Structure formats: structure tokens, C-alpha cells
Amino acid sequence: MAFLSSLSALILFTFCFFSPSTAQQPYVGLTTTDCPNQHNSSSGLGYFCNGRNRSCQTYLTFRSTPPYNTVSAISALFSVDPFEVSQFNNVSETSPFETDHLVFVPVNCSCSGQFYQANKPYTVKHGENYLIIANNTFQGLTTCQALLNQSVNPPAANISTNQIISVPLRCACPTKNQSDLGINYLVSYLVRQGDTFLIISQTFGVNADSVSEANDLPETLFPFTTLLIPLENPPSTRQTTEPPPPPPPPPTSPPTSSKSSKTWLYALLGALGGCAFLLVVGSIIYCRVIRKRKEKGDPILVSESFKAREKPEEKTMEESEDFLEHISDIAQSLKVYNFKELKLATDDFSASCWIKGSVYRGTINGDLAAIKKIDGDISKEINLLQKINHSNVIRLSGVSFNEGYWYLVYEYASNGPLSDWIFNNGKFLTWTQRIQIALDVATGLNYLHSFTNPSHVHKDIKSSSILLDSDFRAKIANFGLARSTQGESEGQFSLTKHIVGTIGYMAPEYMENGLVSPKLDVYAFGVLLLEMLTGKDVGVLYDENKHLSDAFSAVLKDEGQESLRDLMDPSMGENYPSEFVNFVVRIIESCLEKNPEARPHMDEIVQFLSRTLSNSLTWELSNNVSR
Ligand SMILES: *[C@@H]1O[C@H](CO)[C@@H](O)[C@H](O)[C@H]1NC(C)=O
Ligand SMILES: *[C@@H]1O[C@H](CO)[C@@H](O)[C@H](O)[C@H]1NC(C)=O
Ligand SMILES: *[C@@H]1O[C@H](CO)[C@@H](O)[C@H](O)[C@H]1NC(C)=O
Ligand SMILES: *[C@@H]1O[C@H](CO)[C@@H](O)[C@H](O)[C@H]1NC(C)=O
Ligand SMILES: *[C@@H]1O[C@H](CO)[C@@H](O)[C@H](O)[C@H]1NC(C)=O
Ligand SMILES: *[C@@H]1O[C@H](CO)[C@@H](O)[C@H](O)[C@H]1NC(C)=O
Ligand SMILES: *[C@@H]1O[C@H](CO)[C@@H](O)[C@H](O)[C@H]1NC(C)=O
Ligand SMILES: *[C@@H]1O[C@H](CO)[C@@H](O)[C@H](O)[C@H]1NC(C)=O
């Protein structure tokens, strides 16, 4: 703390004594809205390549706004590693940002022709044109002129939905003059309504004049434009977040009312979101892989985990290699790859092999594989997956280690995550496919709950944890949070204080009391089924003030059966057997029961869905529904 405040004082001090120098980059101003004209000389096309270096590491800012309000959504939009984003912004990968939160996105900026750019692929959404992509989706981080200039085949003013375009994001590297003054970064800051140089410079702890000078002394600032912030050090989330609310009282006694318990819970979630993630990622390596630290009873070892995080050098190569040998002993079926093999398989982890997040597509011995880079404990996932051989659970085939990261090699599911298919990017699943997928997931979960020894809870069932193979059969993946119920009293229930998971999918008893049981997965399965039926993201369905099943039953009660039609994913049109929809709705309702005991066992859901599937197949045949 003291160190940081003296550091910012130092930065402030440094900037106070800057001598005015000539402007470095022109401010884009209102040219962003003047699409038809290129504005060659006013940086409408981008910041000029006038820096000391032709490329540099820098940071863009972005204001979280649905649907881009989670680390994963923002990382996907900017094609950057979610792990890097979550680390840099000091948040967990799964907890959503508040709307309008200033998020930093690390990018590599380099000269492309006359202009600095960070080029990112983007799939055009329905109804978007260049102006909307530049101003609304990317919030001014690019301009319609730059997008148009980038297009290969003019006239390309009309772009089509699902077309993949390259988006040149506005970034810049310091000029020689700036470098000489100690400036190492020019952060592309997004101006918002009401911003002044004073406000912005205070946010970043720099001198207002230095910001103004770096941008050609603009007189007026306009929202949805970029302003370069000259910085010595990478920006810090500490600078840009308001002081946190006073800490919640320690949860020693059980909360009295459900309202206060919720308040407590959200506060805890907020406070622990990042910590819990870091705990998962960091501390277990420390405790289990290295096995030098004695076990502690209290699971909330926040400071411990931060220490673990700050000392990655303790995870030495040798120890990790020992661990590799150790796991290959237990897991005979698991191949230990030389990292060179994985580099070869993924073309050196090139962008063309990148799938999503930290997952790459590789070709090993002619077979496709998914290779996931992980900085954290993998022993649980390995211990679990090596015991499982089930067609509805993703198969782990190998592992590798390099420079502090683990690499897990999985079977390749060519149709990718279910979320890509239900939230409709021009992709579409038939009714019967949806039921088949639901049945596959239920079967996989039933296996985990009842046929592994000890039994397991997945704890992170959601549409992006379900992968689809070439035949649209589902495989459960993302076992990073899974845990066994071994050693728990009654074999089924346990308590935890690590609240980790995905908001909206987490069962109330888990969020409120940390109760872990297979019924968590049943709840999440209900949410998943609801998403599959409606084509709507849980983020949209979730209302933190209202339990999902209440909201859901209210809709059904108010509007009766007719409303079912309104609920259905419009991409299915009329092509679904309305007589079966009621049954599925009833499963959803029972899975979303507040009382975990009232939720069905996965086994019952499997039986139910198998009947629904066979009826649906009959319906499909007799109605000649095309797939
Ligand atoms: C750099 O600084 C020198 C003198 O301080 C000035 O003459 C020159 O124009 C500056 N260059 C740029 C690109 O601002
Ligand atoms: C900008 O460059 C384009 C293409 O070279 C040219 O057609 C246009 O006239 C230029 N506009 C200005 C204002 O210089
Ligand atoms: C920037 O480039 C370096 C080296 O090519 C790479 O390691 C790093 O991941 C890149 N960073 C981002 C944010 O793309
Ligand atoms: C840019 O986007 C914002 C918010 O998305 C909107 O309020 C504003 O009107 C847009 N500006 C233009 C010129 O379209
Ligand atoms: C892009 O801008 C540059 C610089 O003004 C210009 O020379 C080039 O012709 C433009 N390209 C397109 C496709 O508009
Ligand atoms: C642009 O749209 C028009 C109709 O809106 C269409 O006729 C034309 O082919 C499109 N041009 C391109 C290059 O796609
Ligand atoms: C420019 O490149 C040099 C050497 O390649 C490096 O030491 C320096 O940090 C770079 N400067 C910036 C601002 O990135
Ligand atoms: C990260 O967030 C936690 C609380 O969520 C806070 O205690 C910690 O100081 C933050 N770290 C940094 C570097 O901002």
C-alpha cells in the first residue's frame, strides 16, 4: 500500500515537472461520426506510426456493458487470453463486471502502413454496419473510416451478418520525445460523457497537461473517442476503481433474514470473487503440487493465496517435472507430451490454431486435439478425468508442462461449445438435437454423481462447459471446479466457503450457505435446459432479486400455456412438438426448486429425457422435420 501510494506520488511528481513539448498524436474528435470522409490528417484512420518503436505492448480500455460484461465475453470480443484479462483487472474469470466498469485490455500494438493498430477478428452481428461496430460495439476504439479503409474489396460499405472482418483498434506507442521523458505506455482511454482533462488525469494519477499535450491539445472532448494517456507504468485497477465499500461483518452467526443473507452473500462474492479464483488457480499448486506447505484447516486463506500468486518462482521446473512423473504414474492412460510436440501440433500456438480463451486446436499424429493452457492446479481434474471413460464426458489424453503453465490435451469436439449454438450466431439446433444434448448432459452428470467412486459434483455446469462433437453429441468439459463428495458426512453434503462458479447457474443453497451436493449440478442443469429452450443467456434470465424459479413460474402462471410459445427460442420457428414442451418445462421447474431436496435425482431426469427423445424422434419422422 505504502509502496503504491509513494509510487503514484512519484508518477504525479514526475509529470508535474514535465516541460511542455509539441503534440504527439492528433485527437480524433468528431471525425468519428463523419463516416464518408477519411480524414487522413486528423487520425480518423488511426494514430500515426511516429513512435520510437514500431510495436509495443499497451492497454486499451473498455466499459463493461451487457453482453460484454464478463471477462470471458470481453476477452472473446478482443481475442485475448481471459486469464490475462482477469489477472490484470484483478477479478475472477467468472464474476461479471458492474455495468460501466472500466476494464483494461492488454494488446500488442504495431504499425500497419502509416498507422498503429491492434487488429482483431470480429464476426458481424445482425443489423450492424461499420458505424455501429466502431461506435457502439467497440465504443470508439476504432472508427468507421478505419474499418472501411481496412476492407479488402471496396465497395464494401455493406457488410453481411456473420462476415468476419478485421477490426483495427486505436493504439499507439510512445514517441522518442515521450520515451525520453520516461513514458512507456500510451493507454487508449475511452472518453465518457462529462469527462474533463482534470477528471481523467486524476483517475490515472498523471498531470492534466501531459494528457492534453499527448493528444494535440483538444478543446472539447467527445464521448466514444479515444484519448491517449501517457504512463510510466502499466495502468492499475487500483487507480480506476472507487474505494471499496466497508467490509461485511464476518459471517460467524447465521444470517437472520434471507435479505440480509443475500446482501452478505453478494458482498462476500464481490470481495472473494477474485480471491476464490486465485485460490483455485494459485494456492493449490502451492499446497499440493509442491507439497511443502503444511495443510491448513481454514479454507479462506486469502492472504496465503496471494502470497502463492506472487511467488511463482517457487514452482520450479524440477518440481513440476517430478509432478509430471508422479501423475503419469497414477494415470497410465495419460500421455506426457514434450512441449515441443505441442508447439508443433499448434503451429507454435499461432492465432490460426486459437479456439477460445486459452484453448488451441492441435494436430497430433493426424488427429485433432484441444490443448488448454492452465496456470493452476490440475491434479484434481487429472485425478478425476483419468478415472472416467464415458462418452458424455470429455476425454483427457495427455498433459505437458512449460514455463510455469500446464497444458492439458483433450479429445477434440469439432462443433465447439453449446453456448455458441444456443445463443445463435447464425447457428441453430433442432428440437430433437436439443433434447439429445440435454439427455447426453444428464447422462454424463448421472454418471459423475452415481457411478464414480467417490461420487463427484461438477460445480460449473453451464452452456460453455458443454462441448459438441461432429454428431452434435454432448460432452461435459471444464472440470476445474469439480470435487468429490468423499469423506463428507452422509456422503452427499458438505460445506465450503469458496464460493466459485458462474452467477445465475449457482444454486441458492450454495450461494447462501456454501452447501455442496449433486443437487447443485441438478440446479445448473435446470438453468441450462431453460437456456436451451429459450435461446436466452442466463445473464438475461437472471435477476438477483428474484429466484429464477419464481420468475419462471410467474411467467407461466400469469400467462398460462400460451406463454410457452413466447418462451421458445424463436430460431426453432414452429418446428417443435408443443405437446412435449410442457414436460420439459416441468423438468426445468423441478430442477430450479429452492429446496435442494425437492429437486429430482439426475437418474430420473435421464429416464424422463430418454422418453422425450424417443417421442421426439417419432414426431420428427412423422412430421418430416428437416434437420
Ligand atoms: C521532440 O522535442 C523536440 C525538442 O524538445 C522538438 O523540437 C520536436 O519537435 C519534438 N518532436 C515531436 C515529434 O514532438
Ligand atoms: C485521404 O486519402 C484518400 C485516399 O488516398 C484520398 O482519396 C482523399 O482525398 C484524402 N483526403 C484528404 C482530406 O486528404
Ligand atoms: C503480444 O505478443 C507477445 C509475443 O508475440 C505474446 O507473447 C503476447 O501474448 C501478446 N500479447 C497479447 C495481449 O496479445
Ligand atoms: C455511439 O454509441 C452510443 C452508445 O452506444 C450512442 O449513444 C451514440 O448515439 C452513438 N453515436 C453515434 C454517432 O452513432
Ligand atoms: C486507406 O488509407 C490510406 C491512407 O490515407 C490510403 O492511401 C488508402 O488508399 C486507403 N485504402 C482504402 C481501401 O480506402
Ligand atoms: C450491397 O448491397 C446491395 C443491396 O443492398 C447489393 O445489391 C450489393 O450486391 C451489395 N454489395 C456487396 C459488395 O455486397
Ligand atoms: C523499444 O524497444 C527497445 C528495444 O527493442 C526496448 O528496450 C524499449 O523498451 C521499447 N520501448 C517501448 C516504449 O516499448
Ligand atoms: C485485488 O482485489 C482484492 C479484493 O477483491 C483487493 O484486496 C486487492 O488489493 C486487489 N489487488 C490489486 C493489486 O488491486
Side-chain angles (χ1 to χ4, degrees):
M1 265 306 202
F3 168 70
L4 268 146
S5 48
S6 51
L7 189 69
S8 45
L10 182 70
I11 297 174
L12 208 64
F13 175 82
T14 316
F15 278 97
C16 287
F17 288 86
F18 270 164
S19 57
S21 62
T22 43
Q24 316 288 327
Q25 294 278 6
Y27 175 59
V28 64
L30 278 179
T31 61
T32 53
T33 52
D34 184 19
C35 245
N37 297 310
Q38 278 208 356
H39 294 276
N40 307 343
S41 58
S42 65
S43 106
L45 291 171
Y47 291 115
F48 296 103
C49 251
N50 63 1
R52 165 178 277 174
N53 294 356
R54 289 186 60 80
S55 67
C56 59
Q57 249 264 295
T58 187
Y59 300 88
L60 310 177
T61 59
F62 185 77
R63 290 185 206 281
S64 63
T65 177
Y68 304 110
N69 60 345
T70 59
V71 167
S72 56
I74 294 172
S75 310
L77 179 65
F78 289 95
S79 305
V80 293
D81 187 345
F83 184 69
E84 243 186 291
V85 175
S86 69
Q87 256 197 326
F88 195 80
N89 291 282
N90 193 21
V91 290
S92 89
E93 273 188 54
T94 46
S95 57
F97 290 107
E98 275 171 33
T99 297
D100 253 359
H101 182 88
L102 193 69
V103 181
F104 290 104
V105 181
V107 294
N108 286 328
C109 182
S110 53
C111 286
S112 167
Q114 281 179 267
F115 305 103
Y116 277 121
Q117 294 178 347
N119 280 302
K120 301 292 179 181
Y122 177 71
T123 309
V124 177
K125 306 260 177 325
H126 181 71
E128 283 184 330
N129 58 30
Y130 282 132
L131 182 61
I132 292 176
I133 294 171
N135 171 73
N136 301 57
T137 306
F138 285 93
Q139 304 178 356
L141 284 170
T142 186
T143 60
C144 47
Q145 291 95 334
L147 285 168
L148 266 164
N149 188 267
Q150 189 92 351
S151 64
V152 215
N153 291 321
N158 42 357
I159 40 175
S160 46
T161 307
N162 293 326
Q163 185 182 337
I164 297 176
I165 59 169
S166 167
V167 176
L169 298 171
R170 299 169 64 78
C171 59
C173 302
T175 59
K176 179 161 184 319
N177 281 3
Q178 286 171 325
S179 276
D180 291 344
L181 291 168
I183 292 167
N184 295 310
Y185 299 94
L186 294 173
V187 170
S188 301
Y189 172 79
L190 284 172
V191 176
R192 72 198 300 185
Q193 194 71 47
D195 262 347
T196 63
F197 280 114
L198 200 61
I199 294 174
I200 297 168
S201 56
Q202 278 174 354
T203 307
F204 287 90
V206 297
N207 180 289
D209 290 343
S210 79
V211 177
S212 174
E213 277 159 26
N215 296 278
D216 200 7
L217 312 167
E219 280 171 23
T220 318
L221 296 178
F222 300 98
F224 308 104
T225 60
T226 57
L227 201 64
L228 294 172
I229 312 291
L231 294 177
E232 255 182 33
N233 296 304
S236 150
T237 45
R238 240 176 239 279
Q239 296 164 335
T240 52
T241 40
E242 290 76 44
T252 41
S253 56
T256 41
S257 75
S258 90
K259 188 167 188 304
S260 76
S261 94
K262 275 210 166 153
T263 319
W264 166 75
L265 183 87
Y266 294 124
L268 182 73
L269 272 178
L272 289 188
C275 308
F277 172 74
L278 291 179
L279 268 175
V280 171
V281 169
S283 76
I284 314 183
I285 279 213
Y286 213 63
C287 302
R288 296 190 70 178
V289 178
I290 299 175
R291 285 169 196 280
K292 281 186 175 163
R293 182 177 292 269
K294 70 175 184 342
E295 297 258 329
K296 294 263 177 106
D298 182 358
I300 308 192
L301 297 174
V302 175
S303 54
E304 288 272 321
S305 78
F306 275 108
K307 272 188 221 137
R309 204 82 202 89
E310 285 159 10
K311 293 186 191 165
E313 71 275 11
E314 296 237 14
K315 182 176 63 176
T316 68
M317 198 70 187
E318 257 176 39
E319 282 160 330
S320 298
E321 275 170 1
D322 283 353
F323 180 64
L324 264 182
E325 271 173 29
H326 170 67
I327 50 173
S328 64
D329 283 351
I330 13 168
Q332 269 99 19
S333 58
L334 215 55
K335 180 167 164 45
V336 176
Y337 287 96
N338 185 318
F339 185 63
K340 283 195 197 110
E341 292 175 80
L342 298 190
K343 272 176 81 166
L344 197 66
T346 57
D347 196 8
D348 205 359
F349 292 90
S350 71
S352 60
C353 292
W354 180 75
I355 301 177
K356 203 169 209 178
S358 56
V359 185
Y360 291 79
R361 179 178 37 246
T363 312
I364 300 176
N365 299 330
D367 289 332
L368 281 173
I371 300 170
K372 186 175 179 184
K373 178 176 171 184
I374 298 178
D375 178 10
D377 177 38
I378 53 163
S379 56
K380 268 190 197 163
E381 181 156 359
I382 289 186
N383 276 330
L384 172 59
L385 286 182
Q386 57 120 353
K387 275 187 270 188
I388 294 181
N389 185 6
H390 190 277
S391 63
N392 299 124
V393 175
I394 200 82
R395 190 165 46 78
L396 177 69
S397 63
V399 61
S400 181
F401 180 83
N402 183 57
E403 290 188 351
Y405 288 97
W406 294 98
Y407 295 82
L408 296 184
V409 181
Y410 300 90
E411 73 176 299
Y412 185 70
S414 59
N415 276 313
L418 172 61
S419 48
D420 280 4
W421 289 86
I422 50 183
F423 310 131
N424 199 319
N425 300 308
K427 295 177 172 182
F428 161 77
L429 296 168
T430 65
W431 165 265
T432 313
Q433 279 173 324
R434 286 173 211 233
I435 297 298
Q436 175 72 69
I437 291 166
L439 174 58
D440 286 342
V441 176
T443 309
L445 283 177
N446 190 37
Y447 179 83
L448 276 181
H449 293 171
S450 304
F451 300 97
T452 55
N453 187 15
S455 77
H456 281 80
V457 182
H458 183 284
K459 282 187 69 186
D460 202 15
I461 290 295
K462 55 182 170 184
S463 50
S464 56
S465 295
I466 310 299
L467 302 178
L468 302 178
D469 73 6
S470 52
D471 296 325
F472 291 97
R473 298 300 298 266
K475 294 174 186 290
I476 303 173
N478 287 352
F479 280 81
L481 298 182
R483 62 181 272 180
S484 77
T485 53
Q486 189 176 31
E488 317 300 358
S489 56
E490 307 299 305
Q492 294 289 295
F493 287 91
S494 68
L495 289 171
T496 182
K497 286 177 185 165
H498 306 266
I499 306 293
V500 285
T502 303
I503 297 272
Y505 288 98
M506 284 191 277
E509 75 279 9
Y510 177 64
M511 302 230 314
E512 286 170 21
N513 303 316
L515 200 61
V516 178
S517 79
K519 295 294 169 83
L520 287 191
D521 288 345
V522 175
Y523 184 91
F525 180 80
V527 178
L528 180 75
L529 210 50
L530 183 58
E531 288 186 321
M532 290 176 69
L533 205 67
T534 59
K536 290 187 184 61
D537 187 330
V538 65
V540 176
L541 301 166
Y542 182 69
D543 172 355
E544 67 179 52
N545 299 314
K546 211 167 180 183
H547 186 262
L548 204 49
S549 63
D550 291 344
F552 187 55
S553 339
V555 172
L556 291 184
K557 213 168 279 158
D558 286 358
E559 296 161 38
Q561 299 300 320
E562 275 309 299
S563 65
L564 283 180
R565 208 180 294 267
D566 300 334
L567 272 181
M568 298 300 285
D569 182 349
S571 78
M572 273 193 289
E574 299 282 307
N575 293 328
Y576 59 87
S578 41
E579 62 272 32
F580 306 147
V581 173
N582 288 347
F583 296 116
V584 177
V585 167
R586 225 168 291 149
I587 304 186
I588 297 174
E589 269 186 305
S590 63
C591 291
L592 296 181
E593 285 282 353
K594 254 176 274 184
N595 174 6
E597 312 275 2
R599 289 174 213 148
H601 191 275
M602 227 51 225
D603 188 34
E604 298 168 59
I605 300 178
V606 169
Q607 289 178 24
F608 190 88
L609 284 173
S610 341
R611 280 201 300 277
T612 311
L613 179 64
S614 72
N615 290 339
S616 300
L617 286 166
T618 314
W619 162 84
E620 195 173 78
L621 275 177
S622 59
N623 284 269
N624 206 6
V625 175
S626 60
R627 285 199 138 188

